[in-house]
Amino acid sequence: MDYTKAIQIAQNIHWVGMYLENDPFQCHPYFIHNGDESILIDPGSMIEFDAVMEKTSQITDLKNIKYIILHHQDPDLCASIPEIEKVIDRDDLKIITHSRMTVLIKHYMITSSYYEIDKNDFKLETNNGFSLKFLTTPYCHSPGAFVTYDPKSKVLFSSDIFGGLEESWEFYAKDDYFSKVKAFHSTYMPSRDIFNHALRKIEQLDINLIAPQHGSIIERRYVYGLIEDMKNLECGLYIDKKYNDELTGTIEKLKAKERELKEYKNHLEEKVKEKTYFLEEANAALQLEQEKLNMFNEYLGELNSVDVGFLANTAIKQILNIAQAQIGVFYINENDKRLKVLAKHSVDPKLLKSGFFNNSSGGIVAQAYKSGEWIYVDGLNEEVAPEIDLGFYRSKLKHIVAIPLKFQEKKIGVVLIGSVSNARFDEDYLKGYINTLVQSLNNAITYVETQKQSIELRDINMQLEEANRLKSEFLANVSHELRTPLNSIIGFSNILQKNKKGNLLPKQLDQLEKINRNGMNLLDLINNILDLSKIESGKMEVEFREIDIVSAVHDTLELLMPQAANGGKKISFTNSLGSGAYKYTTDEQKFKQVIVNIVSNALKFVENGIGKVDVEVFEENEMLKIAVKDNGIGIPEEKFEKIFEAFRQSDGSTTRRFGGTGLGLAISKNMLELLGGYIDLESIVGEGSTFTICLPLNKKQSSILSPDFLNDFKEKLYTLEDITSVLVIDDAKDVRDLIAEYLSDQNYIVYAADNGYDGVEMAKKLKPSLITLDIMMPGMDGWEVLKRLKASNETCDIPVVTITNASNRSKSIYLGAIDSISKPLSKDDLLSFISKYFDTGKAGSALIVDDEEDIRELIQEYIEDDIKNIQSASDGKEALEVIERGFVPDIIYLDLMMPNLSGFEFLKIVETNPKFKNTHIAVVTAKDLTNEDMEILKPSCVSIIKKGGNIEEIIKELAQDAKNGRSK
């Protein structure tokens, strides 16, 4: 036998010990190979450490050991554990032992957690299905000792039991093994009873092999004979006589106690027999009650209905069964007028007319209904008692009961039952059925009434919905019809106010301003009323998309600047969100409308000349907030809620003094709620108010400035005629001369500065039409020059283009430049830039399609200075005839609601024709567009202009963009 290697003793089980010659206490460790949940058994002391680790590693990686079994606490089993823990280095390593031994083996400085067999049902189940059983076998100094059994291989790991003390040992035991081990067990086992207790547990197992901690491995042929021999051993020889006598005496006392317990057990068995009889009687009674309960539960299930007739028929049958009656009638209250027969059992029509069953006011049915009390009629006289047919014979009724059906104070009806015997039933038991019945009846009656009311309410709601639809349709039609003439009034009054021919008197211009202003006010009122109607009817649609909040607020305030300037009022804007583009998902149009409403409201209530409105956008408490603060008249706290109601202001004097309809705040509040937000208000009377728009954060913020955003934000169109001079600021003379030569050919006056200081001063004095600015200059660089130019009132409006590399374009635009040109600079680059940003004088062409002649004339008036070739059509059909003649305009201004061929239909035809791929479409409509309309228009990449209001600027801007080929 080669003891230098691991020796397999069963499938997946190996001896991994060390041969120590003439050492009777040498330990025999064993290893169970079970994947990454392998098990090491009784690894021994540090003497065997190297051999055990070496032999185990021949089988598997040591890190696959998850469990170590310690059958008792002696050092010859446990001393090497701390070192083994270090080698295995596994966080989930567990020590399998008994809880009685953990207090002892902890002194070996073991750090792994314990798997205590007595707290785990004396078994181990690994994740891959392998299992072990544990049997406690306490002896002498090890009260928590145990053995381990593998049911699959039928191997018993027996610890000290079956071990030996021979100085030389054989690997496998022979037939003389008992003679070698009896001395050890006679000495170390405290008593034969304790030892036999352990042996009796073991002999119940089906054992193929015993692997002890000491001694030889025992094969099946010797196992059970060895157990029988060991049962007869005299044990406890190491104990002195006195202690042995005491132990023996204790055992005798325990045996006497066992006899007493047997006698007491017999006594208890007699008592149990006595009690069993009484329990059987009680059980029979319980069974009867259970049958009643089952019947009642079945009854409850049948009452789960809202059909009153079904409930009545079901109840009659159950009540007759419980009362052991033969006939029954169910009367229901009909509209508080009379008691109507709803259900009956075994009752013929003739019997119903008899005195007892008659539901007239004098009978017992009516009496029970009115009084709410049960009425009994017993021992009926043979002469007056009604006779009933029982099928096989006829018999007289002897007992009648009228039972009122009442839920709380609500009277429902009466049940009348009759019996041919005088036997009384269990009234309390029947009342349980009756109470359940009236609850179900009340629910069914209530359901019927509720259904009836629901149908009535549904009809009313349908009428209201139809009325609401008609109202919305009416408002939409009125809005469309009013916006169209208002568009003409506002547009033409704007044109006349310009007094191009100079033939209008100041008084007439003042009158035109009033016409224009009142037209705008009327348009606002129409829009507000329409919005309020949509909100109230739940038809207000929202279209969420990602926008830049800073840009949206800034652009909106820019639109309100002229309104503020007219009254000498000021608007300031503070961005506390940082320098990056602040992305937020919302409905842009409604968000801007809320800003307009609240800022316009603030401007209305501040004094001319000294009034100011401060707008700040910031984050606070996980909310995006836009605060609008004014120094106006303020609002009393008790009026805070009132001002958000439609057509309401703080009081009548406010309306008379400042005007307004009282709709703006109401609409803003409702729109913000649609967007998921709300409005906060703080105000002090006489000092001013702060309205704060609060929206939940959903933003996507970027730390890098978006060039596209800055282009849209800063880009401005300048006319060629305005460019008469150009200031070139560059420290390189060659660059200055080159730009001068490029521009002189175009008849521009060119000035030059070789440093930033002179450039700023020359810009202030000369007021050039355009400045080109180099960034990389000594002294004051281009960035500082740009900041100073834009900070000065004298130069802030002069367009600046920076000459730098492409990576600086975003910064240039952010600091105020209109664009940036990369070096090296060519003549084509420069002239292309001028062509991009300035009107090159191209004639341009436009087609105006609208069924209103005033609108066609108004749009033509707006664009005729920029567009020279203009044609008109009164509907879509006529417009098709125009383009079929070969006319391909740069831009089409298109109304949607027209006879013959609508704008929608015209668009479908035009967008399929490749000739019009570069034609810009601008929809000019008074129609209130729905989300569905927007989806139809989206593929055509159209601009949308709402009729009404001051639309001149946007119509002209679109014409210029289309003429110069910019952004379809």
Side-chain angles (χ1 to χ4, degrees):
M1 190 78 68
D2 185 358
Y3 299 116
T4 64
K5 296 180 180 178
I7 299 173
Q8 182 170 339
I9 62 173
Q11 186 176 0
N12 294 323
I13 301 175
H14 298 76
W15 172 86
V16 290
M18 178 180 182
Y19 177 72
L20 298 173
E21 189 174 1
N22 297 324
D23 184 347
F25 282 99
Q26 61 184 300
C27 181
H28 296 313
Y30 300 96
F31 177 74
I32 301 175
H33 189 200
N34 184 42
D36 62 354
E37 295 182 287
S38 294
I39 303 162
L40 185 61
I41 302 173
D42 298 334
S45 68
M46 287 304 297
I47 294 174
E48 295 101 332
F49 172 75
D50 290 335
V52 172
M53 294 294 97
E54 170 63 25
K55 289 181 174 65
T56 305
S57 65
Q58 294 171 4
I59 304 166
T60 187
D61 188 333
L62 295 176
K63 293 186 182 296
N64 285 329
I65 299 174
K66 183 176 180 180
Y67 301 99
I68 299 176
I69 297 176
L70 297 180
H71 285 115
H72 61 77
Q73 78 278 5
D74 285 355
D76 58 341
L77 267 69
C78 307
S80 63
I81 296 299
E83 291 302 315
I84 293 175
E85 287 179 318
K86 294 176 185 177
V87 174
I88 295 174
D89 189 23
R90 184 163 170 169
D91 291 338
D92 61 344
L93 179 65
K94 292 187 182 297
I95 306 300
I96 299 177
T97 187
H98 196 289
S99 62
R100 292 175 183 167
M101 293 199 298
T102 57
V103 296
L104 301 172
I105 63 177
K106 70 180 181 181
H107 294 288
Y108 294 106
M109 305 300 287
I110 293 172
T111 60
S112 299
S113 59
Y114 296 109
Y115 182 94
E116 296 172 327
I117 61 172
D118 49 319
K119 296 180 180 178
N120 286 280
D121 201 22
F122 296 96
K123 63 183 178 182
L124 170 69
E125 293 277 353
T126 66
N127 292 328
N128 60 9
F130 180 74
S131 65
L132 291 175
K133 293 174 62 176
F134 307 105
L135 287 76
T136 54
T137 55
Y139 58 89
C140 59
H141 60 290
S142 291
F146 63 96
V147 296
T148 301
Y149 178 66
D150 175 8
K152 185 175 181 182
S153 65
K154 301 180 182 179
V155 173
L156 177 73
F157 302 93
S158 66
S159 183
D160 279 344
I161 297 180
F162 305 112
L165 281 173
E166 292 297 311
E167 290 188 0
S168 60
W169 55 275
E170 297 168 316
F171 194 80
Y172 286 103
K174 296 182 179 178
D175 55 5
D176 62 345
Y177 188 67
F178 175 68
S179 63
K180 295 181 179 182
V181 299
K182 64 181 180 180
F184 172 78
H185 290 84
S186 295
T187 303
Y188 281 90
M189 289 298 166
S191 75
R192 180 190 293 178
D193 288 332
I194 293 174
F195 191 30
N196 281 354
H197 172 72
L199 291 172
R200 281 195 295 271
K201 286 186 181 181
I202 292 171
E203 72 178 347
Q204 300 300 316
L205 303 173
D206 184 8
I207 301 172
N208 283 340
L209 204 69
I210 295 178
Q213 175 198 348
H214 303 295
S216 302
I217 296 172
I218 305 155
E219 296 171 294
R220 183 182 183 92
R221 52 183 167 166
Y222 300 123
V223 168
Y224 295 99
L226 183 61
I227 292 174
E228 286 301 318
D229 289 339
M230 285 188 168
K231 282 183 182 179
N232 298 316
L233 274 175
E234 288 296 331
C235 301
L237 300 181
Y238 77 102
I239 305 174
D240 61 34
K241 187 175 185 307
K242 179 182 176 183
Y243 182 71
N244 188 61
D245 291 342
E246 290 177 356
L247 187 61
T248 303
T250 301
I251 292 172
E252 289 300 323
K253 289 179 182 178
L254 289 172
K255 289 181 178 179
K257 196 68 176 176
E258 182 180 9
R259 288 192 295 271
E260 291 178 13
L261 289 172
K262 285 182 178 178
E263 291 175 4
Y264 185 64
K265 178 186 175 186
N266 293 333
H267 173 70
L268 286 177
E269 287 176 350
E270 289 298 320
K271 289 287 185 182
V272 167
K273 287 180 181 178
E274 293 177 15
K275 295 291 183 183
T276 300
Y277 173 77
F278 295 108
L279 286 174
E280 288 175 349
E281 291 291 318
N283 187 54
L286 284 173
Q287 190 171 355
L288 180 61
E289 290 299 318
Q290 183 62 45
E291 290 174 0
K292 289 183 177 180
L293 181 60
N294 291 340
M295 188 168 66
F296 185 70
N297 286 334
E298 184 180 344
Y299 173 65
L300 285 177
E302 292 175 343
L303 293 184
N304 187 23
S305 172
V306 292
D307 184 337
V308 178
F310 173 80
L311 292 175
N313 280 295
T314 299
I316 279 290
K317 294 174 184 177
Q318 287 286 355
I319 291 169
L320 292 177
N321 184 33
I322 294 166
Q324 295 183 345
Q326 287 73 46
I327 64 170
V329 184
F330 189 111
Y331 301 88
I332 191 77
N333 170 27
E334 189 175 54
N335 300 324
D336 290 327
K337 295 180 179 178
R338 68 188 185 96
L339 291 170
K340 173 187 174 183
V341 175
L342 188 61
K344 60 183 186 294
H345 183 78
S346 299
V347 177
D348 57 46
K350 181 179 179 183
L351 187 62
L352 283 175
K353 296 177 181 179
S354 65
F356 290 107
F357 290 85
N358 194 298
N359 57 359
S360 62
S361 59
I364 62 172
V365 174
Q367 291 177 35
Y369 177 77
K370 291 176 183 177
S371 67
E373 301 292 334
W374 291 38
I375 298 178
Y376 296 89
V377 181
D378 295 320
L380 288 173
N381 191 304
E382 288 273 344
E383 296 179 0
V384 298
E387 187 178 71
I388 63 170
D389 187 358
L390 296 177
F392 50 90
Y393 72 96
R394 297 183 68 83
S395 178
K396 295 277 188 176
L397 286 177
K398 296 180 180 179
H399 181 69
I400 296 176
V401 183
I403 306 169
L405 303 176
K406 181 180 178 184
F407 181 78
Q408 296 176 354
E409 299 302 317
K410 182 178 180 180
K411 296 178 180 179
I412 297 174
V414 175
V415 171
L416 189 72
I417 59 176
S419 173
V420 295
S421 72
N422 284 316
R424 297 294 293 266
F425 51 84
D426 186 344
E427 183 178 323
D428 291 334
Y429 181 55
L430 182 57
K431 279 183 177 179
Y433 277 78
I434 297 297
N435 290 337
T436 305
L437 171 64
V438 295
Q439 290 182 31
S440 296
L441 285 169
N442 180 69
N443 291 339
I445 292 168
T446 303
Y447 174 79
V448 171
E449 293 172 350
T450 303
Q451 285 293 99
K452 183 179 179 182
Q453 293 172 357
S454 177
I455 293 170
E456 292 173 354
L457 285 173
R458 184 190 64 191
D459 292 342
I460 293 171
N461 282 333
M462 289 175 64
Q463 293 170 11
L464 289 173
E465 286 177 6
E466 177 63 13
N468 193 49
R469 185 190 67 78
L470 292 173
K471 183 192 79 171
S472 297
E473 189 176 298
F474 170 75
L475 286 172
N477 290 335
V478 169
S479 169
H480 181 272
E481 294 302 319
L482 287 174
R483 278 176 179 158
T484 300
L486 271 176
N487 195 71
S488 298
I489 292 169
I490 294 167
F492 285 119
S493 64
N494 266 333
I495 292 172
L496 290 173
Q497 275 184 283
K498 294 177 182 178
N499 198 14
K500 290 182 178 180
K501 296 183 179 180
N503 58 354
L504 294 177
L505 300 175
K507 184 177 180 180
Q508 291 172 321
L509 291 173
D510 183 57
Q511 291 169 341
L512 284 170
E513 187 277 329
K514 290 177 181 177
I515 291 171
N516 187 270
R517 174 164 38 85
N518 285 294
M520 292 294 292
N521 290 339
L522 182 56
L523 182 64
D524 287 342
L525 177 60
I526 292 168
N527 289 336
N528 285 340
I529 291 174
L530 190 61
D531 284 342
L532 187 64
S533 172
K534 286 182 183 178
I535 291 168
E536 289 177 346
S537 63
K539 298 292 180 63
M540 176 68 77
E541 296 176 333
V542 290
E543 185 177 356
F544 288 99
R545 67 182 184 88
E546 191 175 76
I547 67 170
D548 185 85
I549 286 294
V550 177
S551 174
V553 176
H554 180 278
D555 290 351
T556 306
L557 296 179
E558 284 287 318
L559 293 174
L560 296 170
M561 289 295 185
Q563 177 184 341
N566 285 340
K569 304 169 185 177
K570 294 181 179 179
I571 299 176
S572 70
F573 175 49
T574 302
N575 172 23
S576 298
L577 294 174
S579 59
Y582 191 97
K583 300 298 183 182
Y584 187 85
T585 301
T586 189
D587 185 308
E588 181 176 18
Q589 187 260 334
K590 290 175 178 59
F591 173 77
K592 287 183 175 181
Q593 185 173 343
V594 171
I595 300 289
V596 168
N597 287 353
I598 293 178
V599 175
S600 297
N601 187 72
L603 288 171
K604 184 165 58 178
F605 293 104
V606 297
E607 298 291 344
N608 288 341
I610 60 171
K612 64 176 182 176
V613 177
D614 301 320
V615 180
E616 181 184 6
V617 56
F618 58 96
E619 279 186 17
E620 183 180 74
N621 298 329
E622 297 300 315
M623 299 291 286
L624 171 64
K625 296 188 176 183
I626 300 96
V628 180
K629 182 179 181 181
D630 66 63
N631 62 347
I633 61 174
I635 304 165
E637 187 173 353
E638 64 271 14
K639 302 292 179 66
F640 278 13
E641 291 188 10
K642 180 179 177 183
I643 64 170
F644 289 104
E645 298 174 8
F647 302 105
R648 300 293 291 271
Q649 293 184 347
S650 59
D651 57 50
S653 62
T654 304
T655 306
R656 289 190 296 272
R657 179 181 173 191
F658 295 99
T661 61
L663 287 174
L665 290 179
I667 291 171
S668 298
K669 175 179 177 291
N670 283 282
M671 280 189 174
L672 268 180
E673 289 173 356
L674 282 175
L675 301 181
Y678 59 90
I679 300 178
D680 268 347
L681 171 59
E682 296 177 1
S683 185
I684 300 175
V685 175
E687 294 185 18
S689 306
T690 300
F691 289 83
T692 303
I693 299 166
C694 304
L695 290 164
L697 285 182
N698 65 19
K699 53 107 177 175
K700 298 178 183 176
Q701 191 171 6
S702 169
S703 60
I704 300 173
L705 215 55
S706 166
D708 292 337
F709 154 72
L710 291 170
N711 271 343
D712 296 340
F713 191 60
K714 297 292 184 181
E715 188 173 296
K716 182 177 178 182
L717 188 69
Y718 298 85
T719 60
L720 186 66
E721 289 73 18
D722 290 337
I723 301 180
T724 57
S725 59
V726 178
L727 172 61
V728 180
I729 305 175
D730 201 304
D731 63 316
K733 186 176 184 302
D734 290 344
V735 174
R736 296 196 302 272
D737 292 342
L738 189 63
I739 294 176
E741 183 177 346
Y742 289 164
L743 297 178
S744 295
D745 290 344
Q746 304 298 317
N747 297 319
Y748 298 128
I749 300 171
V750 180
Y751 303 103
D754 61 1
N755 63 79
Y757 298 97
D758 291 345
V760 172
E761 293 304 314
M762 290 175 70
K764 291 179 179 178
K765 292 177 182 178
L766 299 172
K767 303 291 191 303
S769 307
L770 176 68
I771 297 174
T772 67
L773 174 63
D774 184 32
I775 294 300
M776 304 303 292
M777 296 188 296
M780 184 190 297
D781 65 12
W783 300 129
E784 185 60 27
V785 173
L786 186 55
K787 289 177 185 176
R788 295 192 182 191
L789 290 172
K790 293 303 170 183
S792 170
N793 290 333
E794 298 176 79
T795 57
C796 63
D797 291 328
I798 301 174
V800 178
V801 57
T802 59
I803 311 296
T804 182
N805 57 58
S807 62
N808 286 325
R809 183 172 184 268
S810 295
K811 185 175 180 180
S812 299
I813 296 172
Y814 180 70
L815 292 176
I818 61 171
D819 209 336
S820 176
I821 304 176
S822 299
K823 291 183 178 180
L825 183 66
S826 69
K827 182 176 182 179
D828 289 341
D829 288 337
L830 188 59
L831 297 181
S832 175
F833 163 79
I834 291 174
S835 174
K836 176 182 176 183
Y837 282 92
F838 298 85
D839 187 355
T840 58
K842 176 185 172 185
S845 57
L847 173 61
I848 304 168
V849 188
D850 199 300
D851 59 334
E852 296 285 340
E853 185 178 355
D854 288 350
I855 299 298
R856 297 198 299 274
E857 184 180 341
L858 183 64
I859 294 175
Q860 182 165 341
E861 183 77 24
Y862 286 157
I863 66 174
E864 61 187 6
D865 289 341
D866 299 299
I867 303 291
K868 305 308 178 186
N869 187 0
I870 302 172
Q871 296 199 34
S872 299
S874 60
D875 57 38
K877 184 178 179 181
E878 188 177 326
L880 285 178
E881 293 173 358
V882 172
I883 62 177
E884 284 171 1
R885 292 196 294 266
F887 183 59
V888 181
D890 296 315
I891 186 168
I892 299 174
Y893 294 96
L894 178 67
D895 186 22
L896 294 176
M897 308 303 290
M898 298 181 294
N900 297 326
L901 190 70
S902 72
F904 290 110
E905 295 168 313
F906 176 77
L907 265 179
K908 288 181 183 178
I909 297 170
V910 169
E911 68 183 6
T912 59
N913 192 329
K915 288 197 302 182
F916 298 96
K917 66 179 181 179
N918 295 319
T919 298
H920 192 107
I921 308 292
V923 168
V924 185
T925 182
K927 185 180 189 299
D928 203 53
L929 297 178
T930 64
N931 286 345
E932 186 179 353
D933 294 334
M934 297 297 289
E935 287 299 317
I936 295 172
L937 297 175
K938 190 181 292 184
S940 302
C941 302
V942 300
S943 301
I944 298 172
I945 305 167
K946 199 78 166 283
K947 286 182 179 178
N950 190 357
I951 61 174
E952 178 179 358
E953 290 301 321
I954 190 168
I955 284 180
K956 292 183 69 172
E957 184 179 341
L958 289 172
Q960 292 164 356
D961 284 348
K963 181 179 71 170
N964 292 303
R966 287 197 293 272
S967 60
K968 181 188 173 187

